[in-house]
Amino acid sequence: MNFDALETWQREGFEQLTAFRDPRSGARGVLALHSTQLGPAFGGIRRWSYSDLSAAARDALRLARAMTHKCALADLPAGGGKIVLLDTPGVPLEAQYEHVGDLVQGLNGRYFAGPDVGAGEAELAAVRRRTRWVTDPGPDGPGELSAATATGVVHGIEAALEFLDGAADWPRRTIVVQGLGEVGARVAAQLRERGVRVLAADVDAVRAERVAAEVGLELIDPTAQLDTPCDVFAPCALGGILHDVTLVRARCRVLAGSANNVLAAPEHGDRLHARGVLFVPDIAISSGALIRGATFALSGARTPLEEIGARVAAVVRHVLASAAARGEPPARFAEREAERRVELAGAVR
Ligand code: NAD
């Protein structure tokens, strides 16, 4: 692990950072636990083709920290963690996920693993064979997690439009959805049900065609998504899409979607703010699955989608109004507020 990752771990107060390599299964990856001050850590298992272990560590650290902040803003008695696995072609997956299950079991409830990119139902079933500390939908679980995220995103967008214009006024809106995966396809469908004109793109052309036919949306060129004028740009693909080069291309009034860590760095939120784009922080708007999964894991209660929508909208309203009252970018306020809540919990303890 390079110095950068250790420096971040130290500077930002992470509780644990573990690199693992299992010679038997071939699993290689990183486990990051950011904070359990508010309660046990929650976070998905991400499998991705990282260039090396350092890139994986960087991602795990950022994602785990974002999970802590999401929990704090959503008032959940929980914290943030993440496991990332290096996707190595040709290495069988089942034994790798079983090894991840052993790691999670070893934490004895400090961390609950969940789905993320590369870890769906089959992979989580392998994890579950080795540990009970998993929040996957399953037949007896909390209910669909991606549906919860999508519902939260749509209600969060509604709150942002009301904040700007006094009303969502759906039928007059044009919304670009980037990524038509588990969350994006559902966001697009819910927006269409409200009469929104939805323009969308996915780099997987087959998937894009299928969702477009099912939901009734217009497909656009994936390379032209950001340049398309619209009321709302909803990133539902990968993080880090807003950086020095792309930022100036944004032609939307609101930027709000499910993708974690949309900003490549915090200053990109400041620059969007200066350009008059209302950026809804992902730690405020993408917590639907977390609310559903963590609530079920901690109390056994199933949270209905309407309640998730209302809770996420309330968080978004609070963040946007408080940031405006202080004259600061919403992303800065959201992060500071989340940190304040975590520190307060630590002090109370
Ligand atoms: P997914 O893998 O099902 O879907 C992502 C889609 O984005 C894929 O179809 C992929 O082809 C597409 N894509 C990738 N790069 C693209 C690009 N440049 N342009 C257009 N399309 C592109 O993932 P998901 O579960 O739908 O999650 C989407 C995002 O939301 C991720 O960043 C994830 O971390 C975040 N998120 C998901 C949940 C959840 O409940 N699934 C919860 C919180 C946050």
Side-chain angles (χ1 to χ4, degrees):
M1 212 170 290
N2 73 353
F3 179 71
D4 242 1
L6 286 178
E7 217 267 319
T8 306
W9 166 79
Q10 165 94 341
R11 190 185 59 237
E12 294 178 6
F14 279 80
E15 292 180 13
Q16 186 170 340
L17 178 64
T18 307
F20 58 88
R21 178 199 300 274
D22 177 39
R24 195 183 55 83
S25 63
R28 281 191 308 146
V30 176
L31 157 79
L33 282 190
H34 180 244
S35 169
T36 57
Q37 294 270 36
L38 292 167
F42 284 78
I45 303 166
R46 176 169 291 195
R47 177 167 47 88
W48 190 250
S49 48
Y50 296 101
S51 52
D52 56 24
L53 208 58
S54 295
R58 232 186 334 269
D59 209 24
L61 288 164
R62 272 201 91 185
L63 290 163
R65 186 167 177 271
M67 290 301 286
T68 301
H69 291 166
K70 269 193 216 187
C71 290
L73 288 182
D75 265 334
L76 289 166
K82 202 81 187 181
I83 289 182
V84 303
L85 262 179
L86 274 83
D87 196 9
T88 317
V91 180
L93 291 178
E94 199 176 322
Q96 292 194 54
Y97 282 98
E98 285 179 355
H99 177 71
V100 168
D102 290 339
L103 286 176
V104 174
Q105 182 61 21
L107 292 166
N108 201 23
R110 277 179 74 216
Y111 166 70
F112 285 75
D116 199 289
V117 177
E121 232 170 83
E123 291 81 9
L124 286 171
V127 178
R128 194 179 269 292
R129 279 200 284 279
R130 301 303 186 98
T131 182
R132 54 180 281 245
W133 310 108
V134 182
T135 54
D136 65 310
D140 304 317
E144 269 196 332
L145 295 178
S146 300
T149 304
T151 300
V153 167
V154 171
H155 283 77
I157 290 174
E158 183 170 42
L161 289 171
E162 285 169 358
F163 173 81
L164 270 189
D165 299 335
D169 208 358
W170 292 118
R172 287 170 169 272
R173 307 292 184 181
T174 298
I175 298 186
V176 171
V177 178
Q178 179 186 49
L180 292 168
E182 294 295 326
V183 179
R186 289 176 170 86
V187 167
Q190 290 191 24
L191 292 172
R192 288 294 299 136
E193 281 163 18
R194 287 162 171 76
V196 173
R197 179 178 180 219
V198 178
L199 309 176
D202 195 297
V203 289
D204 179 341
V206 176
R207 180 191 282 268
E209 292 289 349
R210 179 175 54 74
V211 178
E214 279 169 14
V215 175
L217 40 83
E218 299 166 47
L219 289 180
I220 55 174
D221 180 349
T223 60
Q225 298 165 107
L226 260 178
D227 312 279
T228 306
C230 57
D231 296 288
V232 182
F233 182 87
C236 298
L238 296 177
I241 59 158
L242 287 160
H243 47 74
D244 290 347
V245 178
T246 53
L247 193 129
V248 290
R249 288 170 45 201
R251 311 266 317 267
C252 54
R253 293 177 65 219
V254 177
L255 215 148
S258 72
N260 290 310
N261 299 327
V262 179
L263 305 173
E267 55 269 27
H268 296 117
D270 303 341
R271 286 169 58 191
L272 278 175
H273 186 67
R275 282 169 54 85
V277 175
L278 183 67
F279 174 67
V280 181
D282 33 80
I283 54 172
I285 197 172
S286 71
S287 53
L290 179 62
I291 293 172
R292 204 171 222 193
T295 303
F296 184 76
L298 296 172
S299 71
R302 292 192 170 83
T303 318
L305 289 177
E306 309 80 64
E307 187 182 326
I308 287 169
R311 281 178 66 172
V312 173
V315 173
V316 169
R317 273 195 294 274
H318 171 65
V319 165
L320 297 183
S322 307
R326 290 164 176 76
E328 67 179 337
R332 292 283 182 190
F333 171 78
E335 191 151 326
R336 217 188 44 250
E337 173 66 5
E339 274 164 12
R340 189 187 66 80
R341 292 182 188 194
V342 175
E343 270 165 31
L344 199 63
V348 168
R349 276 190 178 185

